[in-house]
Amino acid sequence: MEQAQDALHIQPPLWPQILIMEDEMSVAKGLELVLSEEGYTVDLAMNGRSALDSFDRRDFDLLIADLRLPDIDGMEVIKRVKHRRPDTGVIVITGYSTVPSAVEAMKLGATDYLSKPFTDDEFMSAVKGALDEQKVLHAGAAQAAVAKPAVTVLEPLPEDLQQVHDIMAQIRQQFSGTREELIPMLQKVQNHLGFIPEPALEEIAHFTRTPAASVYGVVTFYEQFRLHPVGRHIVKVCRGTACHVKGAERILNEIETRFGMSPGQTSDDRMFTLETVACFGSCAIAPVVVVDDSVKGRMDPSKTSEVMAAVEPADLDPNQS
Amino acid sequence: MSYSAIKAKAEKQWDWLENLPQPLIQLGMGTCGRASGADDIMRSVQQTLKELKLLARTMEVGCIGMCYLEPLMAVRKPGRPFIVYGNLTPDKTQKILKRYLMEDDPCAKWSVCSIGKDRIDGIPTFEEHPMLGAQVRIALRNCGLIDPGNIDHYIARRGYSGLQRALDMSPAEVIEEVKASGLRGRGGAGFPTGLKWEFARNSLKDTSTIVCNADEGDPGAFMDRALLEGDPHAVLEGMLIGAYAIGAAQGFIYVRAEYPLAIERLIKALADMHACGLLGDAVLNSKFRFDIQIKEGAGAFVCGEETALMASIMGRRGMPHARPPFPAQSGLWGKPTNINNVETFSNVSAILQNGASWYAGFGTEKSKGTKTFSLAGKVQRTGLIEVPMGMELREIIYSIGGGGPKGKQIKGVQTGGPSGGCIPAERFDLTVDYESLASVGSIMGSGGMVVMDQDTCMVDMARYFLTFTQAESCGKCLPCRLGTHQMLDILEDICAGNGTPADIDLLADLSETVQKGSLCGLGQTAPNPVQTTLRYFKDEYEDHVLRHKCNAGACKPLFHYEINEELCNGCGVCLRRCSTGAISGKKKEPHRIDSTKCTKCGICYQSCKQQAVAIL
């Protein structure tokens, strides 16, 4: 029973965990705010001792270290942290920057060295750079993708809306505008754009002489239709009975852990949208994952990650972007 | 064109194919085959033939039903039977072609069976194969044997002779023939097809419409997809016969958008039918006028229900309405409408081709003929099968399906999808027909059959089905909309370890309310999975509620993994596959799992060959 309840609290960290070691409360709080707005989990340590204590308790992906601290020298803390866990990212922030200290910090394995004062943008780009480097470190073990927070709703791009006009012109030619053509028309729009933008919905309503609210009612009734744009690639995990019995849930967990997406969400880089489907009817080769239009049978969590990583290999390589 | 003219043309082509002077290579290119890599095999075949400078024909066929062996290939040398090879890789394909075509070594160790008249030493024939031999293939008679994109193949194998026979009879005689065959609707409810047609025929207030329901929404069922992909004309012929019998001039096929290949095949089939004069103003030069339109579904399970399906065809939200009026009285646009399932139509064409008494010779007293099942889940031979009604579940699961995976105990089987029930292994003496399945609280449904073993938690199974029905409830009837929601909440509590004994009683109570208070089949049957698991697997509910244990290792908060040090040989497979680094241990020494890092993904449990990872 106790073990069972313990288990409820054990969740792998989804987003990077960052520790800020800084004795000036105002600076520390400011940085914490910037980072947490971006979705990172942040802890504060006001001196070197408590920073080391924090590392005793758990691992962090990134240490933001001030060099002048009331107790231990910041450089010493970095040395010890790096000794214990070499793949921890380190960014040095200091008000007393000197060339020798910068050299020493880099030798110890710091990724970046920022002199105070710095802007939020400078700070964030250093953090992202450090975490990207970490990703490369981890990539050997598994093609870990960007653990950025996923987004639930994407806004249409101007290009999407420009296309509505052309598609509607085609639709007006191909269809006569009767009510029973409503669903085929909506399907056509979605086939082209991946979703149904509001202007298209209104034009179809007008064309079929149906109240826009009824068209909206139809769009929201059917699972297939989307009102918001999706990522470049759509990953569908089948949740049919056979897939469920053979571990579809484990695949969804894996995608959530690796890519930070729950069903219905799009990865931050607009690369993937994750969806679930009631059943693909390929139960004999369960569990099934469909990436774009390609059906993949007999999947497991690690194969799914591999397939997703292989969709756009260049995109997962931080050196290329 | 007349039937004899198209038949003559088709037979000529078939004869040519049968007597081909070169080797013929067939590849199963259904969705299952493609998902398992059939496209790569096709490329490998073409490349190998080029390299060997061999003249051989390749042909795409549908699914023969042995999905567990996909990708599959059948090779025939002139004057010999086909040899079927399974579990192919591009490399293996190349070897087989080289050895068989060049050196005349049939590679018996990689073969599955042979298809054709003679036999080849060391290779079982189709009839001797344990999965295929026990089957009687009527609806699936051509699946995997013909090119589904070639109408001539279907015609050459007596296709459309049933339609020609029907056109020579009066519509009333056709209905009598179907009634005499004893055919019952294969969509789930099992209503006699002939009777349904008679109702539609009798409400002659207007021209009627015929609909083929291919909205196969039941998770775990895929026979309609395989049939449409593998032999679309068998279904379309049945639809034409039905249209003639009830007096319909317009037909619709309502097919799921999730089945793109089936849609592609149908589009091709309809075009070919027009070209042969099988659709249009004078079908086979008769006075019968008929046309078919494809309607793509948009992903709503409830649209498998007749009245909801019609609402969807008319461009509305797919919500069911009360019956009466029945579709036969007032259906699409107020006209009489008759709706049959894909498999029903495929049986109709076979009945008209071979006669009602032939068909009635299969099956039981009340359930005639055969039924297709999609056999999936924890069974060795998964795939699509067709057996005579009245076969015992045991025979299907153990003889045809080959039993569970090695070392695992089969616990039960789920039939009929989310509307069906879970039948425990103790009741495997049950025969499959409409009545006996209903007697244990399950249903025939469309034919999904998912086998479950000791690693499947029945409470989790019930929760899974409720997640589905709750999400798919259209929301019209309150007991269904809120009842399924409440039931799901309770089941989620139980699976999370927060259930109480009172929850079990409340579940039973709610089940009855939802069943009685819902308008359509979705709500009426949604509690079936809960009721049957409560009836046959109550001990598992009690384990969850009283002892907070999930012995199957499915409900994460209620178990943990441990490595049995005596069984572990330190091979390191689990250590390498664990994505959270929770496993430690030296090579050849027992490993350990750090429960604080373990996410219970189960990869160690699945990958351990020693079965040293235990669920505690």
Side-chain angles (χ1 to χ4, degrees):
Chain A
M1 176 70 193
E2 256 175 33
Q3 270 156 337
Q5 292 204 329
D6 276 346
L8 278 173
H9 302 290
I10 303 158
Q11 280 290 326
L14 290 184
W15 325 129
Q17 316 267 312
I18 301 176
L19 180 72
I20 302 175
M21 176 172 72
E22 165 68 69
D23 59 336
E24 240 175 279
M25 187 56 125
S26 59
V27 178
K29 282 280 172 201
L31 296 179
E32 182 188 17
L33 186 70
V34 177
L35 289 172
S36 48
E37 270 176 2
E38 293 280 326
Y40 299 115
T41 314
V42 185
D43 266 16
L44 296 183
M46 305 304 287
N47 53 50
R49 172 66 36 215
S50 79
L52 288 172
D53 285 348
S54 298
F55 269 94
D56 276 342
R57 282 196 300 274
R58 53 190 265 233
D59 286 343
F60 290 89
D61 300 274
L62 183 60
L63 168 69
I64 314 252
D66 188 8
L67 291 182
R68 290 214 178 170
L69 299 166
D71 51 353
I72 320 173
D73 177 37
M75 216 61 95
E76 184 58 31
V77 177
I78 297 173
K79 203 186 277 176
R80 289 200 210 167
V81 164
K82 276 285 189 183
H83 180 69
R84 254 186 256 174
R85 215 197 121 190
D87 56 350
T88 313
V90 175
I91 295 173
V92 171
I93 46 171
T94 178
Y96 307 89
S97 61
T98 61
V99 175
S101 77
V103 171
E104 192 188 348
M106 289 306 176
K107 273 189 181 161
L108 285 176
T111 346
D112 224 325
Y113 185 96
L114 297 176
S115 312
K116 290 180 195 169
F118 44 79
T119 64
D120 286 356
D121 286 346
E122 282 167 348
F123 177 63
M124 276 319 298
S125 90
V127 168
K128 282 185 180 144
L131 289 173
D132 275 348
E133 196 157 300
Q134 281 238 298
K135 214 170 61 196
V136 179
L137 281 174
H138 288 302
Q143 290 106 328
V146 208
K148 285 180 198 160
V151 278
T152 308
V153 172
L154 283 177
E155 289 310 314
L157 299 167
E159 304 88 278
D160 293 336
L161 300 178
Q162 277 162 15
Q163 287 188 46
V164 169
H165 183 76
D166 298 342
I167 291 165
M168 281 313 299
Q170 283 179 27
I171 284 180
R172 279 174 195 279
Q173 275 190 346
Q174 285 173 14
F175 295 91
S176 53
T178 56
R179 174 70 196 246
E180 71 251 35
E181 290 168 338
L182 180 60
I183 293 174
M185 284 184 215
L186 292 167
Q187 283 169 331
K188 197 170 168 69
V189 173
Q190 181 155 305
N191 277 346
H192 277 270
L193 294 177
F195 73 110
I196 297 164
E198 201 178 313
L201 192 150
E202 276 168 8
E203 279 211 45
I204 287 177
H206 186 73
F207 185 37
T208 51
R209 273 158 287 159
T210 310
S214 300
V215 178
Y216 183 78
V218 168
V219 169
T220 50
F221 183 85
Y222 294 98
E223 196 67 29
Q224 187 190 28
F225 296 124
R226 308 183 196 98
L227 286 162
H228 294 281
V230 284
R232 291 195 295 288
H233 304 283
I234 299 190
V235 177
K236 293 180 194 159
V237 177
C238 178
R239 303 189 80 175
T241 318
C243 292
H244 179 77
V245 169
K246 291 214 162 174
E249 211 73 23
R250 298 174 201 273
I251 292 177
L252 282 172
N253 284 342
E254 170 81 3
I255 296 177
E256 179 140 15
T257 317
R258 284 275 160 87
F259 296 83
M261 281 180 288
S262 311
Q265 291 189 322
T266 300
S267 62
D268 192 43
D269 51 6
R270 286 196 177 222
M271 178 137 154
F272 294 112
T273 294
L274 178 64
E275 293 184 345
T276 58
V277 170
C279 183
F280 270 108
S282 294
C283 316
I285 48 165
V288 174
V289 175
V290 179
V291 180
D292 296 325
D293 288 328
S294 140
V295 183
K296 314 273 181 196
R298 301 189 186 111
M299 295 301 276
D300 64 32
S302 51
K303 271 202 239 170
T304 308
S305 283
E306 278 165 32
V307 166
M308 285 174 70
V311 169
E312 264 183 45
D315 262 66
L316 285 182
D317 184 353
N319 298 326
Q320 298 259 315
S321 52
Chain B
M1 258 196 271
S2 72
Y3 177 66
S4 53
I6 58 169
K7 189 170 174 235
K9 177 175 159 277
E11 279 175 348
K12 217 165 148 187
Q13 207 198 105
W14 188 255
D15 272 351
W16 169 81
L17 191 74
E18 290 277 87
N19 300 309
L20 207 63
Q22 301 102 22
L24 178 65
I25 298 164
Q26 293 182 336
L27 285 147
M29 300 290 271
T31 301
C32 288
R34 287 191 176 164
S36 310
D39 288 316
D40 293 338
I41 303 303
M42 180 62 112
R43 268 192 295 278
S44 167
V45 167
Q46 278 158 353
Q47 202 190 331
T48 312
L49 293 178
K50 217 172 174 181
E51 277 171 21
L52 300 176
K53 296 203 172 61
L54 262 179
L55 263 183
R57 297 251 161 198
T58 55
M59 179 176 142
E60 285 187 23
V61 295
C63 172
I64 198 160
M66 293 188 284
C67 306
Y68 72 108
L69 289 173
E70 294 281 9
L72 287 156
M73 164 176 85
V75 184
R76 186 189 69 191
K77 288 173 93 166
R80 295 213 193 148
F82 278 106
I83 304 178
V84 182
Y85 300 96
N87 273 334
L88 294 172
T89 58
D91 188 44
K92 200 161 149 189
T93 311
Q94 195 181 20
K95 281 186 189 143
I96 292 171
L97 291 181
K98 264 187 192 156
R99 290 189 198 165
Y100 187 38
L101 298 183
M102 303 294 285
E103 296 150 24
D104 209 25
D105 164 16
C107 303
K109 62 173 175 179
W110 289 326
S111 73
V112 179
C113 67
S114 66
I115 303 177
K117 275 182 201 136
D118 303 315
R119 60 179 306 132
I120 291 175
D121 280 344
I123 298 175
T125 61
F126 190 87
E127 291 74 23
E128 287 163 4
H129 189 276
M131 186 179 191
L132 301 166
Q135 298 188 39
V136 175
R137 294 163 82 92
I138 294 176
L140 302 173
R141 56 194 178 276
N142 293 321
C143 275
L145 304 175
I146 63 167
D147 177 355
N150 189 332
I151 191 171
D152 288 333
H153 286 191
Y154 179 70
I155 295 170
R157 289 174 59 96
R158 305 191 53 224
Y160 292 106
S161 65
L163 172 66
Q164 181 58 50
R165 183 166 162 243
L167 292 175
D168 293 336
M169 295 155 75
S170 74
E173 282 168 352
V174 175
I175 291 174
E176 277 312 311
E177 179 89 359
V178 174
K179 274 164 96 177
S181 74
L183 176 65
R184 294 168 66 175
R186 296 293 190 247
F191 193 80
T193 306
L195 209 56
K196 198 172 188 177
W197 287 7
E198 200 167 56
F199 289 146
R201 174 102 207 148
N202 290 344
S203 60
L204 273 176
K205 62 177 175 182
D206 207 337
T207 51
S208 40
T209 309
I210 193 161
V211 178
C212 173
N213 184 350
D215 190 45
E216 184 175 55
D218 278 16
F222 56 90
M223 44 275 143
D224 292 353
R225 172 185 64 70
L227 193 45
L228 290 173
E229 285 177 6
D231 192 15
H233 288 287
V235 180
L236 294 166
E237 182 183 357
M239 207 171 156
L240 258 76
I241 293 167
Y244 173 73
I246 67 165
Q250 176 66 50
F252 292 99
I253 301 180
Y254 188 85
V255 55
R256 298 181 78 198
E258 287 88 344
Y259 288 175
L261 183 62
I263 295 170
E264 197 187 308
R265 297 267 198 252
L266 283 170
I267 292 171
K268 171 80 169 64
L270 292 180
D272 289 346
M273 287 169 77
H274 271 289
C276 290
L278 285 159
L279 285 176
D281 285 336
V283 173
L284 292 177
N285 292 342
S286 70
K287 285 182 186 156
F288 173 46
R289 179 172 64 87
F290 188 61
D291 208 347
I292 298 176
Q293 252 186 28
I294 299 171
K295 285 277 180 183
E296 272 183 53
F301 174 68
V302 70
C303 289
E305 201 277 342
E306 294 191 326
T307 56
L309 184 149
M310 292 189 302
S312 180
I313 288 183
M314 291 186 287
R316 300 174 196 285
R317 288 164 75 96
M319 288 161 104
H321 68 67
R323 292 177 296 184
F326 285 93
Q329 299 151 343
S330 171
L332 286 168
W333 299 282
K335 293 175 184 173
T337 302
N338 177 77
I339 301 171
N340 290 120
N341 161 270
V342 168
E343 190 185 336
T344 311
F345 280 131
S346 181
N347 278 304
V348 165
S349 51
I351 290 166
L352 266 289
Q353 283 168 19
N354 301 298
S357 52
W358 163 81
Y359 190 80
F362 300 100
T364 65
E365 178 71 37
K366 285 184 175 168
S367 305
K368 295 291 182 202
T370 56
K371 176 78 192 85
T372 59
F373 290 100
S374 33
L375 194 55
K378 305 290 186 68
V379 64
Q380 295 209 2
R381 292 192 279 267
T382 56
L384 181 69
I385 58 164
E386 182 169 359
V387 296
M389 294 272 193
M391 189 179 263
E392 277 188 17
L393 275 172
R394 185 184 315 281
E395 194 176 350
I396 296 180
I397 292 161
Y398 290 98
S399 304
I400 296 180
K406 266 189 199 128
K408 303 271 180 183
Q409 189 78 35
I410 290 187
K411 193 188 258 182
V413 63
Q414 209 279 346
T415 69
S419 310
C422 299
I423 302 167
E426 301 88 79
R427 300 299 312 269
F428 279 1
D429 55 339
L430 203 74
T431 56
V432 285
D433 57 71
Y434 293 98
E435 279 72 25
S436 50
L437 284 173
S439 75
V440 293
S442 187
I443 59 164
M444 178 82 83
S446 51
M449 208 175 252
V450 181
V451 179
M452 293 164 296
D453 68 7
Q454 62 195 63
D455 294 341
T456 315
C457 165
M458 301 315 275
V459 185
D460 176 63
M461 221 43 223
R463 181 194 63 86
Y464 162 76
F465 281 117
L466 255 294
T467 313
F468 179 81
T469 32
Q470 185 267 327
E472 293 294 340
S473 169
C474 80
K476 186 166 181 164
C477 310
L478 186 131
C480 175
R481 182 177 75 224
L482 293 182
T484 53
H485 204 290
Q486 282 304 320
M487 288 170 73
L488 178 61
D489 276 356
I490 296 172
L491 286 163
E492 279 182 342
D493 268 352
I494 296 178
C495 289
N498 302 325
T500 63
D503 285 343
I504 299 181
D505 300 331
L506 187 57
L507 260 183
D509 194 32
L510 268 170
S511 296
E512 214 172 305
T513 311
V514 172
Q515 207 164 40
K516 286 184 179 155
S518 304
L519 192 62
C520 83
L522 192 153
Q524 287 162 5
T525 58
N528 280 354
V530 175
Q531 286 181 320
T532 50
T533 47
L534 273 176
R535 189 189 307 173
Y536 299 114
F537 300 96
K538 193 153 190 185
D539 54 323
E540 292 195 26
Y541 281 87
E542 286 166 356
D543 279 343
H544 281 66
V545 169
L546 302 174
R547 288 172 277 281
H548 298 277
K549 274 282 159 212
C550 175
N551 295 324
C555 305
K556 282 193 178 182
L558 300 183
F559 75 95
H560 66 274
Y561 289 112
E562 255 178 49
I563 295 178
N564 183 335
E565 296 193 356
E566 282 167 22
L567 292 175
C568 177
N569 63 357
C571 71
V573 166
C574 57
L575 186 144
R576 283 194 296 279
R577 299 200 71 179
C578 179
S579 62
T580 57
I583 299 179
S584 58
K586 286 190 186 133
K587 196 100 186 139
K588 294 189 179 166
E589 280 175 28
H591 287 32
R592 288 180 63 86
I593 299 179
D594 177 356
S595 63
T596 56
K597 285 188 187 163
C598 175
T599 56
K600 299 181 187 173
C601 73
I603 197 102
C604 52
Y605 180 76
Q606 284 166 4
S607 55
C608 182
K609 292 216 168 65
Q610 313 301 319
Q611 293 175 350
V613 182
I615 296 165
L616 291 171

